[in-house]
Amino acid sequence: MNPSQRLDRTFAALADPTRRAILARLSLGAAPVTELAGPFAMSQPAVSKHLKVLERAGLISRGRDRQRRPCRLEAKPLGDASGWLEGYRRFWEGNFQRLDALLDQMKTLKKRERTKRGKHR
Amino acid sequence: MNPSQRLDRTFAALADPTRRAILARLSLGAAPVTELAGPFAMSQPAVSKHLKVLERAGLISRGRDRQRRPCRLEAKPLGDASGWLEGYRRFWEGNFQRLDALLDQMKTLKKRERTKRGKHR
DNA sequence: TGGTTATAAAACCGATTGGTAATGAATCCT
DNA sequence: AGGATTCATTACCAATCGGTTTTATAACCA
C-alpha cells in the first residue's frame, strides 16, 4: 500500500469520535474489547467494527490473553499524519492567508472600478 | 458545532487524495475551480463536491472574481487537527508501545507457565 | 460435560460518499 | 442580442459506513 493510501486510512480512522475515544483510552495502556466497549452506548459488534477500522489503518495491534484479544496503540501512522500536517504549519501560524485575502481584495477593488466606469456608459 | 464534530469533518476531509491534492495546490495561492479541476480525471461537478466538503470543514473559503469563485486555503482546522495529534507525539517518539508489548509478553509467559502445569494434570 | 464469558462473523438496514450526466445561472465577450 | 465560460445544482447510481440482531467460535469455570 502506498503512502497516500495509508494517509487515507489513517485520516478516515480518525474521523470518528468513537474511534478517537478508543485511541485515547489505549494511550493509557492496552485493553481488551469489552473494556473498550464499556463507555459506549453501542453493541459489542459495533465496537469490534471500529477496532477493525483502526487495525486496518495500523493504529492498533492485537495480542492474545486467554480468550481476550487485547488491543494496543500503534502510533506510527499518527506520526505520519502529523508529519503531513506539518507541511502546512506556516499557514496557520503565518500570514499566508492574509496575502491571499489581499490579492482577492485588490481584484474586488478593480472590479468596483470597472463597475463605476460602467455606470456612466 | 462542537470541537469534536469539527475534528470529524477535518479528518474526513483529509481522508481523500483528491482533496489533499487540492489543498496542496491552494498552498501555492488561491485558485478558481477550473484550475483546481485541471489535473484530475473527473468531472467538474465532482471537483465542486470535493470543494464543498473542504468548505464545510472550514479548510477553504471562496471569494468572487467576476464569474469565478476563487478558493483560498483556510488552515486553522489543520492547526487544530495537528494539535490533537500532538497529544500522541510521545507515543511515536518514545517507547510507550514497548511498555505495552512488555506487559503482553509477561501475560503470555504466565499463560505458558499455566499450560506447562496443565500438561501434567 | 455444560454454562458462561469474550470476541468475531454474517446478514441486514438506512444514511452517506464519490462519482456521473444534464441542466441552470451568472458573467464575459462580440 | 447571442454565444462562450465558469460554476453550482439536481437527479441518479453503486459502494461504503455505522449501526443492528443473530449466530458462531474459543476459552474459561464448575
Side-chain angles (χ1 to χ4, degrees), chain A residues 44-115:
Chain A
Q44 167 262 314
V47 173
S48 278
K49 277 195 182 182
H50 282 300
L51 292 175
K52 188 173 280 184
V53 171
L54 290 168
E55 192 174 24
R56 268 174 54 90
L59 283 164
I60 67 171
S61 64
R62 307 164 102 123
R64 261 281 178 193
D65 174 24
R66 314 189 180 185
Q67 77 268 46
R68 266 151 243 162
R69 313 292 312 281
C71 300
R72 151 177 9 119
L73 183 62
E74 296 286 345
K76 182 182 168 301
L78 292 183
D80 297 341
S82 181
W84 184 88
L85 283 169
E86 279 308 304
Y88 292 84
R89 171 174 289 279
R90 65 186 188 285
F91 289 96
W92 70 79
E93 282 186 341
N95 45 12
F96 285 72
Q97 299 172 40
R98 288 172 211 153
L99 176 59
D100 267 2
L102 180 64
L103 289 175
D104 270 12
Q105 205 182 359
M106 286 169 61
K107 283 177 185 166
T108 301
L109 290 177
K110 253 194 245 166
K111 180 183 136 193
R112 291 205 176 128
E113 199 69 20
R114 249 188 328 93
T115 305

Side-chain angles (χ1 to χ4, degrees), chain B residues 56-93:
Chain B
R56 267 174 55 90
L59 283 164
I60 67 172
S61 63
R62 307 162 99 121
R64 264 279 178 193
D65 173 27
R66 313 190 180 184
Q67 77 267 48
R68 264 150 245 164
R69 312 293 311 280
C71 300
R72 152 181 6 123
L73 183 62
E74 296 286 345
K76 181 183 170 302
L78 292 182
D80 297 340
S82 180
W84 184 88
L85 283 169
E86 279 308 304
Y88 292 85
R89 168 174 289 280
R90 65 186 187 285
F91 289 97
W92 70 80
E93 281 185 343

Side-chain angles (χ1 to χ4, degrees), chain A residues 22 25-37 51 60-63 65 68-73, chain B residues 100 103-104 107:
Chain A
I22 289 174
R25 166 61 189 84
L26 291 179
S27 76
L28 306 175
V33 176
T34 308
E35 187 180 332
L36 293 175
L51 292 175
I60 67 171
S61 64
R62 307 164 102 123
D65 174 24
R68 266 151 243 162
R69 313 292 312 281
C71 300
R72 151 177 9 119
L73 183 62
Chain B
D100 268 1
L103 289 174
D104 270 11
K107 283 178 186 167

